[in-house]
Amino acid sequence: MPPSTFEPTRADPSIWKEVAWHSLQRQLVARFALVFLLVTLSGSLLALLAYQALAQQAQRRAADEALEHLSRSYTALQDNWLRNADEVKAQIDFMRVFAQGEPAANWLRLRAYFAAIEGKLDRFPSGVVLSDAGRPVFRYGQEGVELSRHFTLGRLEPRWFYSADHRAVFAVLSVPLWLGDQGTGRLVLLQPVDHGVLRQLSASGVNLFLAHKGQVLASSGGSQDYGRQLSGDYSGPILEGEQLQEQRLLPMIADDESAPRLVLRQNVRQVLSPALVLLGSFALMALLAAVLWLVLGRWASWLAVRIAHLSQATSLFAREHALSASVQQALEQARSYPDEIAEVAEASRTLMQSVLQHDEEHFGHLQTLDMLEEGVVELAADGRYLRASPGWARLAGIEMQSGARIFDHIHQEDVENLQQQFVQLSEGEKSSLSGRLRLRRPDAKELWIEYRFISGTRRGGSVRGVLRDITQSYQLEKHVTHMALHDALTGLPNRVLLEDRCKMAVRSAERNGLMVALGFLDLDHFKHVNDQFGHKTGDELLVALSGAMRHCLRAGDTLARWGGDEFVVLLTDLGSQTDAEEAIGKLAAVCQKPIRLGEADFNATFSMGVALFPTDAETVETLLSQADRAMFAAKQQGRNTVRFFSEIAQREEDRKALYIQNRLATAIREGKIQTWFQPIVDARTRRVVSCEALARWQDETYGWVSPATFVPMAENLGLIREMGQQVWKQAIESLHHWRQQGLDMRISVNVSRRQLFTPTFTADLLEDLDRLAIPVSVVDLEITESVAMEDAEHTEKRLAELTEAGFGIAIDDFGTGFSSLSQLHDMPASKIKIDISFVRRAKTEQGSQLIQAVVKIASAFGLQTVAEGVETEDIADVLAAQGVTLLQGYQFGKPVSAESFGRYLVENFSAA
């Protein structure tokens, strides 16, 4: 980089004054100096310690090598002494000292031998001869007496000998010696370990001492060290005076701690003094620091100046809040070299531009927010206003004042709950709040608002929130909720709300030991009102009757609409059945009063079944079921009557009906409903082209039960959907089996209202057919005309869905439901089934005209006609002549089981 880049441009002196020696640069110089000082001191000290450690390690290795050499030399010297002892023994044997003569003469000859060699050799100046019993029998030399005394005491033969009188140490050498007639003894010789021996073992630069109990007995330096005490009794460095020495110990006898020791001492030489080492390392570190400063220090100082320019730019931007010329100049100084700092400077410029743009957008957002009906507030933890948008002031109908709190503008009934939530938010139990509450406006106008608060992140303890007016949507929601729980026509509770109140009533009665009565109420012959006066009048009558009955009940009782002309009465907190009878009597009295609608008066009656808790049932579901059964019994009795479940359970006929109901429920749950089939033939060829699947049930006690009996029971029990599913699955399984045999035919299956309005009805049927690979086009679904007309709008949608999926739709019992031509035109049907009541009158003039009219209507709408209940051949001919397409009845075959119908098909099926 060019030298000029190390210094900031001096074009602007004010910037230079602010940048020069910025705190970052000062910190850099101070830290560099501190690091230099610490590194220099620690490095010098470490260098000195390392040098001394290496020198001592080398000295220890030299001392260890000298000790090893001494050990080898001493071992060789001992071997030499032993050879000398063997030579002495050999000379004695050669001279045949003990070969002849008296023992006394022999000992004189031996003494003469030792006297002859005494002054000639330095070796073995003393010794003793031991008998074969180990007793001394001869001695010579100055230490001979003391050594002889040692053996006289019965002591073992020593390996070394110390003469306390002469303060001398001897190595003890023992060899066997033949003593003539006295047998074989031992010659024990003493070899002195003196100054000469130590000089012989010593090497250059090494001092040897023979020490016993810390006292020098001999040394390689001569007699000058004799008698002095040695300092230190271990191997390692010792300080002798001012001289540092390495000391090693060599025991003369390895396994005898009391034996004399050879002490080796070697002077420790230091090539360089510690002061010189410290000075050299300090100079080297100083040189390294200077190089580092020249290489890195000036560069880091230059970086610090550029960073200072960057800091100057951000400070100016924060103060001026604009990209002024001074900010631009400072950023350019920071961008003087293309590196990471330049990238940061460029990023800072981009960020500054983004901040300015964001501020402009934020200002625009605030202006837009002021135009909205929503209020935005920022609050302290105690609810005090810190900021509030004009929208909130308009929403609350207030003028913002200092110290005001949001709780002052909340409805009194909602304040406590909001305050508790604020406490939870401030204590960290919640991170956000949301809900609804009412405002307390100065004009007393009640507004519902929806709020959401979160903890502030930029200001400690603050809370930010958005509030909006939901008064209209809240009122609409209340209305929707009311509609979901109430009947749209009468305003009475619907099934959902009724079941909830039933559960509450049962729990209350169970706690208080009281009774609950639940009555199913069905208006008698109400269908005639719709047929004769129209549905509008029927609806008005229902509204008038429901209002009259509701007003005659107690406050805690409930009148609900179950559907159509069926109502349910819930009577709570009853003391006995008599109380229920009194309340029901009031309902009957109200219904018997004439109700005037327009110019006509109506007198309504009803059939009612009543079940009591806890005598008849202990759960809400069972209570509803028992009341429904009692109502069914009331209808069978002739209508305009009230039956209690406890009463029907005691009568034989009612018990039978109740038994059949219970058995039917069990049979449906256990899948014991059978599916039989009746043929449908072509009116012209009389060959089988289709069949109708019919439900059959055989009870273990009563045998075959008529469908006219158990089908209505299944509807009242709410099990018609389950029974229909069983019939459907058995029907398509049989059809699948027949199609595998090559009998490609159609099938018709009856569908109840509950099945039809099941949300997944179409998808479930298609899934079953797809599983068995049965085309949808060969299946006809039959619904009664009354079901088709009951809720025409919803029925039309579901039938259109089925038709689009490919199913054929047949309107059963046509002619009995009083459907209009317009409704028939809108129904997506493919067939109509002429009711049996018309078929039986086919040979009469009126019946024939009715059938011709139905056929013409069907032909006009492109529909096929099926005549059911054909029992004779002549009626079949008449119907065929009138243009009926298909025929069904006992004339062609009764309903039979799947197995029997399969055999029938083989004989009568037409593939045309």
Side-chain angles (χ1 to χ4, degrees), residues 286-521:
L287 178 62
L288 178 61
V291 173
L292 288 176
W293 172 256
L294 291 175
V295 175
L296 298 178
R298 294 186 65 200
W299 173 75
S301 179
W302 172 65
L303 291 182
V305 171
R306 292 176 61 203
I307 294 174
H309 282 300
L310 185 60
S311 174
Q312 179 72 15
T314 56
S315 299
L316 289 173
F317 180 78
R319 185 166 59 247
E320 300 173 0
H321 205 69
L323 277 173
S324 60
S326 56
V327 174
Q328 296 278 11
Q329 183 180 2
L331 288 175
E332 288 300 325
Q333 294 292 336
R335 296 174 63 250
S336 59
Y337 191 80
D339 56 7
E340 285 78 359
I341 297 179
E343 294 177 359
V344 173
E346 184 61 31
S348 298
R349 183 198 304 275
T350 303
L351 181 61
M352 292 174 185
Q353 293 173 346
S354 177
V355 168
L356 294 177
Q357 182 180 358
H358 177 269
D359 288 347
E360 293 178 0
E361 294 176 353
H362 181 65
F363 179 73
H365 291 161
L366 289 178
Q367 288 182 322
T368 304
L369 191 62
D370 289 342
M371 296 186 294
L372 299 177
E373 293 300 326
E374 296 182 351
V376 179
V377 296
E378 184 172 3
L379 310 169
D382 59 357
R384 286 181 295 103
Y385 290 106
L386 300 178
R387 295 178 185 174
S389 67
W392 169 246
R394 292 192 301 270
L395 191 62
I398 59 174
E399 293 183 3
M400 301 304 301
Q401 297 179 355
S402 177
R405 302 195 311 162
I406 192 172
F407 305 125
D408 300 334
H409 309 126
I410 305 301
H411 195 279
Q412 189 172 1
E413 296 179 3
D414 300 331
V415 168
E416 183 177 355
N417 179 47
L418 185 62
Q419 289 176 335
Q420 291 177 354
Q421 293 189 60
F422 262 67
V423 171
Q424 294 174 342
L425 191 64
S426 62
E427 293 179 353
E429 297 180 13
K430 292 183 177 181
S431 59
S432 64
L433 303 176
S434 61
R436 298 174 177 180
L437 48 77
R438 290 163 291 179
L439 287 182
R440 183 170 60 187
R441 291 169 52 94
D443 57 6
K445 180 181 179 182
E446 182 177 279
L447 288 183
W448 279 90
I449 61 170
E450 185 177 63
Y451 64 86
R452 178 175 176 81
F453 292 104
I454 60 173
S455 296
T457 56
R458 297 185 179 180
R459 181 180 300 183
S462 65
V463 177
R464 297 196 304 274
V466 178
L467 307 95
R468 64 187 184 94
D469 184 5
I470 60 166
T471 303
Q472 292 183 354
S473 60
Y474 176 78
Q475 292 175 348
L476 179 60
E477 183 179 332
K478 283 184 63 177
H479 178 68
V480 172
T481 303
H482 181 271
M483 294 295 292
L485 298 176
H486 293 78
D487 178 58
L489 177 62
T490 63
L492 296 177
N494 60 11
R495 296 187 184 188
V496 177
L497 184 55
L498 173 67
E499 291 180 3
D500 184 65
R501 291 187 180 180
C502 284
K503 293 176 182 178
M504 295 174 59
V506 167
R507 286 195 296 265
S508 176
E510 190 173 10
R511 287 194 305 268
N512 301 323
L514 299 174
M515 301 178 67
V516 174
L518 188 140
F520 260 102
L521 182 154

Side-chain angles (χ1 to χ4, degrees), residues 2-301:
S4 61
T5 58
F6 279 94
E7 299 181 357
T9 304
R10 301 178 182 270
D12 188 348
S14 62
I15 295 181
W16 171 253
K17 290 179 182 179
E18 293 184 15
V19 173
W21 285 101
H22 195 269
S23 61
L24 183 62
Q25 192 176 20
R26 290 199 301 271
Q27 293 179 42
L28 177 65
V29 174
R31 290 176 184 272
F32 187 87
L34 178 61
V35 170
F36 163 73
L37 181 60
L38 292 177
V39 171
T40 300
L41 293 178
S42 60
S44 300
L45 181 59
L46 289 175
L48 175 61
L49 294 176
Y51 169 75
Q52 290 182 340
L54 290 174
Q56 291 177 4
Q57 184 178 9
Q59 190 66 34
R60 283 194 295 271
R61 283 199 303 269
D64 292 339
E65 292 173 358
L67 178 62
E68 185 178 356
H69 172 74
L70 173 63
S71 178
R72 291 195 302 269
S73 299
Y74 182 69
T75 301
L77 186 61
Q78 284 182 318
D79 294 340
N80 185 50
W81 289 343
L82 187 59
R83 286 193 298 271
N84 291 338
D86 288 335
E87 290 179 5
V88 172
K89 180 252 184 190
Q91 290 177 3
I92 294 173
D93 291 339
F94 179 78
M95 293 173 61
R96 301 179 61 82
V97 174
F98 297 99
Q100 61 184 351
E102 294 294 329
N106 294 338
W107 297 119
L108 288 176
R109 282 193 295 273
L110 181 61
R111 187 176 298 278
Y113 170 76
F114 282 115
I117 67 173
E118 181 177 1
K120 296 180 181 180
L121 295 173
D122 293 334
R123 59 189 179 184
F124 311 134
S126 301
V128 297
V129 177
L130 302 177
S131 66
D132 57 355
R135 307 295 296 177
V137 294
F138 176 81
R139 64 178 180 271
Y140 78 95
Q142 296 179 351
E143 283 75 22
V145 176
E146 188 173 356
L147 181 61
S148 177
R149 189 182 304 117
H150 174 84
F151 289 110
T152 301
L153 296 177
R155 296 176 182 175
L156 297 176
E157 182 177 309
R159 300 174 65 183
W160 61 276
F161 181 75
Y162 173 68
S163 176
D165 295 337
H166 300 93
R167 296 175 63 186
V169 175
F170 299 89
V172 178
L173 302 172
S174 175
V175 294
L177 181 64
W178 183 70
L179 299 179
D181 295 338
Q182 298 179 20
T184 301
R186 294 195 67 82
L187 176 63
V188 180
L189 302 175
L190 297 181
Q191 170 63 46
V193 182
D194 53 11
H195 304 302
V197 172
L198 295 185
R199 279 194 296 271
Q200 184 179 353
L201 293 175
S202 177
S204 177
V206 177
N207 294 324
L208 287 180
F209 302 92
L210 177 63
H212 184 242
K213 296 182 179 179
Q215 189 176 25
V216 176
L217 301 180
S219 73
S220 61
S223 60
Q224 60 183 356
D225 296 319
Y226 182 77
R228 75 188 183 98
Q229 292 290 120
L230 289 179
S231 59
D233 57 354
Y234 57 90
S235 294
I238 64 172
L239 186 63
E240 185 72 19
E242 295 182 355
Q243 180 65 43
L244 183 64
Q245 298 180 337
E246 276 288 330
Q247 177 172 292
R248 297 292 185 271
L249 301 180
L250 178 65
M252 293 181 63
I253 307 301
D255 56 354
D256 190 351
E257 293 293 333
S258 63
R261 295 170 182 247
L262 289 176
V263 180
L264 182 150
R265 285 188 177 180
Q266 188 175 23
N267 293 334
V268 176
R269 294 175 297 174
Q270 294 186 354
V271 179
L272 299 176
S273 66
L276 183 61
V277 173
L278 281 175
L279 181 61
S281 60
F282 188 85
L284 181 62
M285 292 296 174
L287 178 62
L288 178 61
V291 173
L292 288 176
W293 172 256
L294 291 175
V295 175
L296 298 178
R298 294 186 65 200
W299 173 75
S301 179

Side-chain angles (χ1 to χ4, degrees), residues 659-673:
Y659 170 83
I660 292 177
Q661 289 185 37
N662 293 331
R663 294 292 300 168
L664 176 63
T666 303
I668 293 175
R669 285 195 300 269
E670 296 177 355
K672 293 183 178 181
I673 301 299

